[in-house]
Each structure stands twice: as structure tokens, then as C-alpha cells.
Amino acid sequence: MISMAQQAKSITQKYYGVDRRSFLQYMAAVSAIPTIAASADEISGKQHEFQDYPFTLGVASGDPEPDGVVIWTRLSPSPLSGDSLPEIPIATTWEIATDESFQHIVRRGNTNAMPQLGHSVHVEVKGLKPSHWYFYRFHVGKQTSPTGRTRTAPRLTDLPPLIRFAFTSCQHYESGYFNGYPHMQKEDLDLVVHLGDYIYEYGGQNNRPRKHLGKEIETLQEYRVRYSQYRLDSMLQETHRLFPWIVTWDDHEFDNNYANLVSEEQGISPESFLMRRKNAYQAYYEFMPLRRRSFPQGPNMTLYRGCQYGRLANFHVLDTRQYRTDQPNGDNQKPMTGKVFDSNATMLGEAQENWLMSNLSSSPATWNVLAQQVMMAPLNRGEGNDRRYSMDQWPGYELSRRRILKFFHERKIANPVVLTGDIHVNWVNDLQLDFEKSDSPIVGTELVGTSMTSGGNGGKPIREYERAAAQNDFVKWHNTNRGYVSCEVTPAKWTTHFRATPQVVEPGSTLTTPGSFVIEAGIPGAQRA
């Protein structure tokens, strides 16, 4: 009888030849999570009395729709040491009310915290009113969770006068404290958008403001502990409790700078790589308030999706990691030559790109928002005639980038605004149809958020970026502080405030607003407010 290891080795030997499909099908078959999310409400779960408080990781909500929202929690009395919970579905009840004291409960139900998903709970609540605030909580035995607050989206046909949201990314735990979140909590927001690098996968390092537990994470349990360490941060947990979130990942939720099936490290076997990806994707789903449509299937997970706020704004949430081809020309900063112009190269993959263009074409919204990860503007970071661009960002996939911008222009997509994370620096960029022609039309606007903590204290000039800002005419502004971005969107204009926390290496920070910009509806490009 041939063992699983022998089968994997046999298929791996074919992987670099013609049988790549068989290898992927094999990995999906042997490592897929049982598809139990849809049946969580139907299984007869067991009652369980916890001696210790099970809701240490708090509550969260996300992916709002006009009639409902996802509410989330996870039963975990000892999340950092590994819970010894019984391997059974644990009966959990939930409630939704219009008031914080739960005198007016409008929805309630029973579900189960499934052991296959680390006893996490994802409830897709239906039957709520559009554009309404609600309160929610969970019960297990005699224990009750914190009370969360969430808000539904407007009716698809409504044109709300205003939505407010904040976006952020890149919250490296070891680099400092999440000092932007307490200030974000004080804003009157409808939702929060997270653009990736929610966790970092690296092993713990000494002499930093905080320290990761353990080595670089690879197993499912290691990913679970890392997410728990981040979610135990009171500033992050409280922001989840107060607002619904729309989330997408970048690379550090799995492995730095990975591209589809390619690791940046040499010598990683395909089966090890995909097993680690399966673990990373499962943990991400377990800890995020995501719908069943994003349920992972082995090392694959459909995260790209839409979230429409009436006829005012349509959020097109993208995944620029899972489907891209390998970074061209050896990654890093390189001239825009060679494989940059490969017709087979892709940032989004064919299916996701077709989905995006179809959704943009049919979108009724005044503002079309691309919530994604890496810079779309072709930022030349070289010197003089030595023009260099990041091969990990959209300029490394130049034909994909041009197709998107050409689509904006030819289809007259209403007010495209690209939200970007990743780079740890704020940027405001005009998106030109042809960046090599100074008179080329502006077809969209890119707003790049800095990191929440990654890179430690910011605010100092960075020579490379100072040079890039000076020699790229499409750059309107940049800033190196840490923080987040706050947006106010009306039918007539979009106002963006770049919020900065001058220090993150210690808890607590003041807040400044070093830059504010306005985009007028129908006029692409941002101007100083």
C-alpha cells in the first residue's frame, strides 16, 4: 500500500512537468477542511459549561448587506496556550437588538462553534433593516460575550447623503502599539476597511516594543496562536467590537511576497508550500467576520467580493496575492523591461479580473472603490535615467495595470478610487491612462494608507521616497507617519483625512492630520482640501 507521503512525492515529481493540475487536486483533496460551515446551524451541538471566560478574543462583525451582517466570535479560554476544548460542536446562541440593553431583541438563533474551525462562530444574520445600527452578543452556557455594535448597508436603490469609513493595513505587532485604533474608535464611522498584513508571520525577535510568540509560523495551531496574540490587543479588539469590517489580505497573513504558488524562499517543496497556505487561509477565515462564500477549500479561498453601499459607493474587494504570476525580473526594484510586459502575466488572475470588470460595468454607484493591496501608480524609485519600479506592485504587471486603467477610461467607470496599503507610507496619486505622457488623461485616484505600526515610529524623510515624489508628476503628496485614513463620501465629493500617530513604540499617542484631500465627483484626481 502506497503511503500519503509516497503519493505526495510521486505527484511532486510531476509537478514541475505536465501534471500540475493533478498535484493541486491532490492537495485540495487531502487537506481540505470539511465543508461544515453551512451545516453549523443544523448540527445538534452539545451544551458546555466553561470554568474560564470563553470570549477572550471578543466579538466582531463584517461584510454588511442591506438586510444583514456577519457576526463573529471564537470560544477560547486560553488562546495563547492552546485550548483543550472537547472536539465537539458547542452549542452557542446569539442575539441582535436595537438597543445596547437588549430590551428590544429583533433576531436570535442557535448555532454551533465547530471544532474543525477552532470553535469559531460565523453567523450570517438576515432580516434586519437597511442603514441601521444594531447590537449583538453570544451566549454559551452561563457565559455571555461582550456586546458588539454593527451597522447594515443602505438599500441597493438608495442614495445615502453620506458614508464615513476608515482604512488601514500593516499592523506588525513587534513594531509597536496599535495607537491609531483608539482615535479611530472616536470617529463616527459606518465601517472599517482593512487592506492586509493583519498579522505578520515572522518569529519573535528581541529588543522590540513587543514580541511574537514562537518561531515563524507554519502549522495551523501556530497561525491560530499568532492571530490570538494580535486579537488580544485591546485597541484592535475594541475597534472590531464597535464597527463592521471589510477585510482582505496581503502577503504576511501567509508568507512575505508570495505569488500564487511561488514562495520567495528557495527550496520549498510544493506540498509543504500548499500545506502551509492551507493552514494560513483556514486561520484567516477562522478569525475574520467573513461569509460562507469565502469558506476555504484546502489551499484555496475566494476572498474577492463586492460590498455595495446603495448608489453612493460600491466596494470591489480584491485579492492581489492568490492568483498572480510570479514577480518578474527577480522581484525588488527593477527597470520596466522584459517579463514586466509578458502577455501571460497577471496580477488578479483571469477569473477575478473578469469579475471586476463585469462588476464595474454594471455598478450603479457614484463612487467605485477598489479595496486592494499594492500600489497601482507606477512609482519610479530610481535615479536619473536609471528608472526602477517595484516588481511586487502593479508596475511589475504592467499589461494588467494598463488593462484596468484603459477599462476605467473606455467604459467611463464612475469615479474610480483605488485604496492601497502595503508600502508603509501615505501617497495621493493621480492614475493616468499613460504615465509616460504628461498630458495623458487622469482616469482615477489612488489613496495609499501608511502602516498602523510596521516600520516603527515614522515621520522622518526617506530619501528614496522624497526623490520619487519629486520625479513622478502624478504624485500629489506623501507622508511617512504611521496611522490610518479616514474618508467622508457624499454624492458630490470624497474627502480624505490622513490621520497620523507620531509614535507607536510605546502605548498611547496624540493624533494629527498632516494632509486632507478632496475628489470632486466626475473629476478624477485629488486636490488639497
Side-chain angles (χ1 to χ4, degrees):
M1 183 175 180
I2 300 176
S3 69
M4 269 192 185
Q6 290 171 320
Q7 293 179 51
K9 181 178 180 181
S10 174
I11 295 174
T12 300
Q13 289 171 346
K14 297 179 182 179
Y15 174 77
Y16 292 105
V18 297
D19 207 5
R20 174 179 175 181
R21 178 176 297 179
S22 296
F23 177 73
L24 294 179
Q25 289 173 342
Y26 170 79
M27 282 303 300
V30 299
S31 64
I33 313 163
T35 308
I36 46 98
S39 58
D41 297 343
E42 303 168 3
I43 295 172
S44 179
K46 303 296 184 181
Q47 297 294 324
H48 185 76
E49 288 294 340
F50 287 87
Q51 294 183 347
D52 297 317
Y53 190 61
F55 298 107
T56 58
L57 299 174
V59 296
S61 67
D63 277 12
E65 292 183 350
D67 67 339
V69 69
V70 178
I71 58 173
W72 172 97
T73 194
R74 183 185 180 95
L75 307 182
S76 188
S78 304
L80 298 183
S81 58
D83 293 304
S84 55
L85 297 181
E87 289 293 312
I88 59 172
I90 297 178
T92 307
T93 61
W94 55 270
E95 297 172 319
I96 303 280
T98 57
D99 63 306
E100 197 167 5
S101 61
F102 285 84
Q103 296 299 305
H104 299 94
I105 295 173
V106 295
R107 288 288 182 275
R108 56 160 48 102
N110 301 307
T111 188
N112 293 288
M114 305 301 290
Q116 297 94 331
L117 293 175
H119 291 102
S120 61
V121 176
H122 301 72
V123 178
E124 297 183 28
V125 182
K126 296 288 187 181
L128 304 180
K129 294 181 179 179
S131 298
H132 272 64
W133 284 103
Y134 290 94
F135 298 89
Y136 63 95
R137 63 187 180 186
F138 299 88
H139 305 280
V140 173
K142 297 178 182 178
Q143 303 276 13
T144 299
S145 74
T147 295
R149 188 184 71 157
T150 193
R151 184 172 175 82
T152 53
R155 288 185 184 88
L156 298 182
T157 55
D158 285 354
L159 181 62
L162 172 69
I163 62 168
R164 294 187 178 96
F165 72 94
F167 70 91
T168 189
S169 65
C170 304
Q171 50 191 37
H172 187 205
Y173 185 88
E174 292 196 325
S175 292
Y177 295 84
F178 303 149
N179 290 336
Y181 281 126
H183 296 286
M184 190 186 293
Q185 293 161 19
K186 297 175 184 177
E187 298 208 30
D188 184 18
L189 303 176
D190 294 294
L191 76 157
V192 172
V193 179
H194 200 285
L195 299 175
D197 293 346
Y198 187 97
I199 63 164
Y200 280 69
E201 79 279 24
Y202 303 131
Q205 299 291 319
N206 294 323
N207 302 315
R208 293 188 173 184
R210 300 194 282 186
K211 186 176 182 179
H212 283 153
L213 294 174
K215 63 180 182 62
E216 181 161 334
I217 52 180
E218 296 183 12
T219 69
L220 176 58
Q221 183 58 25
E222 288 168 349
Y223 277 100
R224 285 171 170 171
V225 170
R226 184 61 52 83
Y227 276 100
S228 296
Q229 187 174 15
Y230 278 58
R231 194 63 69 83
L232 285 170
D233 181 282
S234 61
M235 292 176 274
L236 175 59
Q237 187 175 132
E238 179 68 359
T239 312
H240 272 291
R241 187 186 74 83
L242 288 176
F243 308 109
W245 285 44
I246 296 173
V247 299
T248 187
W249 55 34
D250 194 11
D251 51 344
H252 290 290
E253 287 86 353
F254 170 29
D255 186 31
N256 181 55
N257 270 24
Y258 82 97
N260 195 332
L261 303 178
V262 181
S263 171
E264 72 169 352
E265 300 180 41
Q266 299 296 317
I268 303 298
S269 69
E271 69 268 40
S272 296
F273 180 84
L274 284 185
M275 185 62 74
R276 183 181 178 186
R277 194 171 99 166
K278 188 274 293 184
N279 295 335
Y281 285 13
Q282 178 175 342
Y284 186 83
Y285 178 84
E286 288 181 0
F287 278 84
M288 296 297 153
L290 290 165
R291 294 183 178 274
R292 294 179 187 125
R293 63 193 177 208
S294 294
F295 195 79
Q297 298 294 324
N300 304 301
M301 181 171 161
T302 303
L303 194 59
Y304 64 86
R305 64 204 187 279
C307 186
Q308 187 173 332
Y309 269 66
R311 292 186 293 114
L312 182 57
N314 200 351
F315 291 86
H316 310 272
V317 184
L318 304 183
D319 174 358
T320 64
R321 285 293 165 189
Q322 187 176 180
Y323 311 105
R324 66 159 71 186
T325 49
D326 193 16
Q327 291 93 342
N329 302 336
D331 205 354
N332 300 314
Q333 318 302 323
K334 299 290 176 62
M336 197 179 284
T337 59
K339 292 182 180 179
V340 166
F341 300 102
D342 183 353
S343 60
N344 294 316
T346 177
M347 176 66 85
L348 301 178
E350 183 178 2
Q352 183 179 195
E353 186 172 314
N354 289 341
W355 167 86
L356 173 61
M357 290 181 173
S358 176
N359 275 23
L360 287 169
S361 294
S362 61
S363 175
T366 301
W367 301 92
N368 282 283
V369 189
L370 275 61
Q372 57 98 55
Q373 295 75 26
V374 292
M375 190 183 288
M376 184 171 282
L379 191 72
N380 171 23
R381 293 156 69 169
E383 292 189 72
N385 294 325
D386 183 21
R387 304 174 71 182
R388 292 179 175 264
Y389 305 84
S390 170
M391 297 292 100
D392 189 57
Q393 298 172 358
W394 281 89
Y397 303 78
E398 183 60 10
L399 297 188
S400 287
R401 196 185 74 85
R402 291 181 184 182
R403 276 197 305 272
I404 298 297
L405 298 183
K406 184 178 179 182
F407 190 84
F408 287 169
H409 181 64
E410 292 184 348
R411 297 299 183 93
K412 296 181 172 54
I413 302 303
N415 301 304
V417 178
V418 178
L419 307 182
T420 298
D422 176 64
I423 199 172
H424 310 169
V425 176
N426 287 316
W427 298 86
V428 177
N429 300 321
D430 290 342
L431 294 175
Q432 291 178 283
L433 185 62
D434 185 345
F435 75 99
E436 294 183 324
K437 297 179 180 178
S438 59
D439 60 348
S440 182
I442 299 170
V443 298
T445 309
E446 182 173 34
L447 305 172
V448 183
T450 185
S451 63
M452 178 61 74
T453 58
S454 299
N457 287 345
K460 295 181 180 179
I462 299 174
R463 182 184 174 188
E464 176 184 344
Y465 292 143
E466 294 290 318
R467 182 176 67 244
Q471 66 191 11
N472 291 272
D473 292 340
F474 56 76
V475 173
K476 292 300 185 78
W477 181 77
H478 84 292
N479 180 270
T480 61
N481 280 290
R482 306 293 169 242
Y484 64 97
V485 184
S486 181
C487 301
E488 302 169 1
V489 183
T490 73
K493 67 179 180 179
W494 175 308
T495 305
T496 298
H497 304 290
F498 290 89
R499 310 296 196 198
T501 50
Q503 72 88 20
V504 296
V505 298
E506 295 179 357
S509 175
T510 57
L511 187 75
T512 65
T513 304
S516 295
F517 289 80
V518 169
I519 309 167
E520 301 287 346
I523 308 174
Q527 306 297 327
R528 280 275 191 177

